[in-house]
Amino acid sequence: MNNYKHDTRSRSRRQYMVAIDGALALNAILVIVQMWLLTASLEAYLSGHKDSALPGAVFSGLLFAGTMGLYIFVRRLERQAKDKGF
Amino acid sequence: MKQAHQSESEPLWKDEFSIESAHETIVNRRQFTKFLTLTSLGMFVGNLWILSKTWFDKQSLFPKTVIAKADEVPIGAVKLFRYPTEADPCIMVRTSQDQFVAYSQKCTHLSCPVHYSQKTGQIECPCHEGSFSLHTGEVLKGPPPRPLPRIVLEKKDGLLLAIGIDIQNE
């Protein structure tokens, strides 16, 4: 009985960790894309192509919203894990 | 439920730096996620800065500045001037009877002063042997990554005036 309880707790904890790791990996990808976007926008600005500044800022804002959402998701998961005593 | 109440009453440092080894991995991941989010915010601010610079540049008007009298410069000769401010050296070349071209004198590679070579008919940078087309400012050879910004000229009452800068001549 005790073993079963331990297994269930362990599996739940693993599920939380998988979810958090997934969010972290996605967050890292979004930040890398955003880094590329900033570099491309700066390069375009310096070479005089000013039309790309607005779409660059809009996409960068969307990516930031994505990373913020993932951060809130991770915090919520962590709070749930703490509440359940993992 | 009891645990949730406990975490609310815990001091902030305990929440940020968990002392329980079981929580440690989660907290570290959370901290890293926070770092990534702040990095993302920084880059978003960078993009907004570029956008504001673009808008600011569009709104600012270049002054009209007299460079020289049109007859003052012989064909194939060079006139150096500063535009739009005293800190911006420029070079003007008279290519034919009615044609004048002017560019920023700062090389787009490392800002060395470029000069007109009558021998090659090109604008050259002596620092790293870059060269630009006299007629368009495009890079012909060497390390410069972009064409030279072109100074927009106007001829009025026998005077040559600089009226703007065109850096979109790639």
Side-chain angles (χ1 to χ4, degrees), chain B residues 65-74 76-82 89-95 99-105 114-116 123 134 151-154 159-162:
Chain B
T65 308
V66 177
I67 301 170
K69 288 179 184 169
D71 300 338
E72 184 186 317
V73 187
V78 168
K79 168 88 181 173
L80 299 179
F81 62 101
R82 290 173 187 275
C90 300
I91 181 169
M92 183 184 75
V93 183
R94 187 173 190 171
T95 53
Q99 228 178 357
F100 298 84
V101 286
Y103 301 99
S104 164
Q105 209 189 356
V114 294
H115 65 89
Y116 170 58
I123 294 176
L134 177 64
I151 310 297
V152 183
L153 300 174
E154 191 181 81
L159 294 172
L160 283 170
L161 299 122

Side-chain angles (χ1 to χ4, degrees), chain B residues 6-134:
Chain B
Q6 266 183 351
S7 68
E8 278 170 21
S9 61
E10 273 178 0
L12 184 64
W13 68 267
K14 265 193 176 178
D15 191 44
E16 293 290 323
F17 303 98
S18 181
I19 50 172
E20 289 177 49
S21 60
H23 291 169
E24 199 175 305
T25 48
I26 297 175
V27 169
N28 283 341
R29 282 167 169 79
R30 195 215 324 145
Q31 293 291 351
F32 188 57
T33 313
K34 190 192 257 182
F35 167 75
L36 286 177
T37 308
L38 287 174
T39 309
S40 173
L41 174 64
M43 287 188 286
F44 178 45
V45 170
N47 269 94
L48 286 179
W49 179 76
I50 292 171
L51 183 63
S52 67
K53 284 279 284 177
T54 306
W55 280 347
F56 180 74
D57 285 356
K58 270 183 187 169
Q59 283 165 2
S60 72
L61 293 168
F62 291 106
K64 277 191 176 184
T65 308
V66 177
I67 301 170
K69 288 179 184 169
D71 300 338
E72 184 186 317
V73 187
I75 295 169
V78 168
K79 168 88 181 173
L80 299 179
F81 62 101
R82 290 173 187 275
Y83 185 81
T85 69
E86 280 300 304
D88 303 303
C90 300
I91 181 169
M92 183 184 75
V93 183
R94 187 173 190 171
T95 53
S96 67
Q97 186 63 33
D98 297 320
Q99 228 178 357
F100 298 84
V101 286
Y103 301 99
S104 164
Q105 209 189 356
K106 285 181 185 171
C107 178
T108 53
H109 179 220
L110 291 175
S111 297
C112 287
V114 294
H115 65 89
Y116 170 58
S117 166
Q118 278 191 328
K119 192 177 161 191
T120 58
Q122 295 169 355
I123 294 176
E124 294 180 346
C125 176
C127 292
H128 302 98
E129 296 179 355
S131 67
F132 302 87
S133 162
L134 177 64

Side-chain angles (χ1 to χ4, degrees), chain A residues 13 16-17 20-21 23-24 27-28 30-32 34-38 41-43 45-51 53-58 60-65 67-68 70-71 74-75 78-79 81-86, chain B residues 1 3-5 7 10 14-16 18 20-27 29-51 53-55 57-58 145-147 167-170:
Chain A
R13 190 176 186 284
Y16 273 113
M17 294 305 294
I20 288 172
D21 283 346
L24 191 62
N27 212 338
L30 291 183
V31 168
I32 290 167
Q34 203 180 11
M35 209 176 282
W36 170 82
L37 187 66
L38 178 62
S41 297
L42 189 63
E43 178 64 28
Y45 169 73
L46 290 174
S47 60
H49 299 286
K50 293 176 179 175
D51 297 337
L54 182 62
V58 169
S60 188
L62 289 175
L63 289 167
F64 170 62
T67 55
M68 194 69 199
L70 284 169
Y71 175 62
V74 167
R75 276 198 75 107
E78 188 214 8
R79 201 158 296 156
K82 267 189 180 174
D83 287 350
K84 289 183 180 175
F86 295 129
Chain B
M1 197 64 196
Q3 287 236 349
H5 178 71
S7 68
E10 273 178 0
K14 265 193 176 178
D15 191 44
E16 293 290 323
S18 181
E20 289 177 49
S21 60
H23 291 169
E24 199 175 305
T25 48
I26 297 175
V27 169
R29 282 167 169 79
R30 195 215 324 145
Q31 293 291 351
F32 188 57
T33 313
K34 190 192 257 182
F35 167 75
L36 286 177
T37 308
L38 287 174
T39 309
S40 173
L41 174 64
M43 287 188 286
F44 178 45
V45 170
N47 269 94
L48 286 179
W49 179 76
I50 292 171
L51 183 63
K53 284 279 284 177
T54 306
W55 280 347
D57 285 356
K58 270 183 187 169
R146 290 180 296 278
I167 52 173
Q168 301 192 52
N169 56 352
E170 199 164 24

